[in-house]
Amino acid sequence: QSYMYQLPPEEATFDRCFHIYGGPEHLEELEALGEEETLRCNRWRAKQAKEEKEEFDNVLSSAQDTLNLDIDADGDEDEPQVENPDDVPEEKQGKQDKQKKKNPVAQLLSMRDESVSNASELVTLMKQSLIEDRKQEVPEDQIVDLGSQQLKTIKAEGIQRISEMSTTCMLQLLHIGASISDRHLPGTETINWEPEASSKATWVRQRARVMVAAIETVSEAYTSALTEPLEGVVEEGPSFAEVSAHLTSTSEQLRKDLYSDTGEATSKIQDGVQHLLYVIMATTIEKAE
């Protein structure tokens, strides 16, 4: 992470930050796990009679649809609901803090909340900076340069945090895959799986939706952080209109970049989830092998 902050804001793209955090390695491990179980399922299917093949294919198709996050599914809510790990009595906080370290959802929620708080702090700092520059009669071209750099830093911070969360999601999906296939990985979450593939797919879908929602919440916070400081600039009066126009133009471009990078982050989660399809399906053939 220390290296991350040495990156100039212009170089803090999702791909670069995701790579620095180790996201591609986790995704490759997920892919390897999925390919291994795909081969296993295909070998099993090739030996089955027509009826067994059709039954397998029907379950496969249903699970594939469930794991497609772009398709609305029965039971989906507008916002995925998860228990807030912070909503516990004060006397239980010590025990809860230990649990949060082991709870993947709590980890994501903590990262989300810290990021949203950071975005809010950056808004306050930039507003104060712009107002102070105005009071000290800093030349407008300097205010534009400084303001543009601050906006780029806000966007870079957002990308860094989204990349870190995305990498965390990849590792959590890898642990989920290990749990489904009954493999041991350090830190693997203990999950009581239902025997049906449909139940496993639904569980994975809901967890993935929590991941996507957390990342999108962080993205929205930093998108707002790219616009809110400029509202104070406009309120400073018409004489600041040129500064406002320059900074607004910069802000709009950075917001587009952030939106694009957020799309890449959520697509990584979809990629990881799809690698779990045959990991889930392999559990349906175990008793028949």
Side-chain angles (χ1 to χ4, degrees), residues 84-87 100 105-121 161 165 214-215 217-218 221-222:
N84 188 338
D86 295 324
D87 291 341
K100 285 171 69 175
V105 171
Q107 181 184 17
L108 280 178
L109 295 183
S110 177
M111 295 176 75
R112 177 201 66 187
D113 293 346
E114 288 176 6
S115 297
V116 170
S117 177
N118 174 261
S120 179
E121 291 173 3
R161 289 176 179 267
M165 289 182 69
I215 287 175
T217 296
V218 172
Y222 282 93

Side-chain angles (χ1 to χ4, degrees), residues 14-30:
F14 173 78
D15 284 342
R16 176 165 291 187
C17 295
F18 187 64
H19 176 78
I20 291 173
Y21 278 118
E25 286 83 355
H26 299 324
L27 191 54
E28 287 172 6
E29 290 181 82
L30 265 171

Side-chain angles (χ1 to χ4, degrees), residues 56-106:
F56 178 86
D57 291 345
N58 288 337
V59 175
L60 174 66
S61 178
S62 177
Q64 192 167 31
D65 287 344
T66 299
L67 295 177
N68 187 341
L69 303 180
D70 292 329
I71 298 177
D72 292 334
D74 292 339
D76 279 352
E77 299 181 12
D78 291 339
E79 293 292 336
Q81 300 297 312
V82 294
E83 180 181 354
N84 188 338
D86 295 324
D87 291 341
V88 294
E90 187 174 341
E91 63 269 17
K92 296 183 180 179
Q93 284 293 334
K95 181 179 179 181
Q96 190 71 14
D97 287 342
K98 294 179 181 178
Q99 292 176 341
K100 285 171 69 175
K101 294 179 181 178
K102 299 178 181 179
N103 186 322
V105 171

Side-chain angles (χ1 to χ4, degrees), residues 145-184:
D145 290 341
L146 292 172
S148 295
Q149 190 62 28
Q150 286 176 303
L151 289 172
K152 292 174 182 177
T153 299
I154 291 173
K155 183 256 184 180
E157 180 71 15
I159 291 301
Q160 176 257 314
R161 289 176 179 267
I162 287 171
S163 301
E164 183 180 16
M165 289 182 69
S166 183
T167 298
T168 299
C169 291
M170 291 302 102
L171 181 57
Q172 290 187 5
L173 288 173
L174 180 60
H175 285 166
I176 289 170
S179 177
I180 293 172
S181 58
D182 201 22
R183 302 168 190 235
H184 177 72

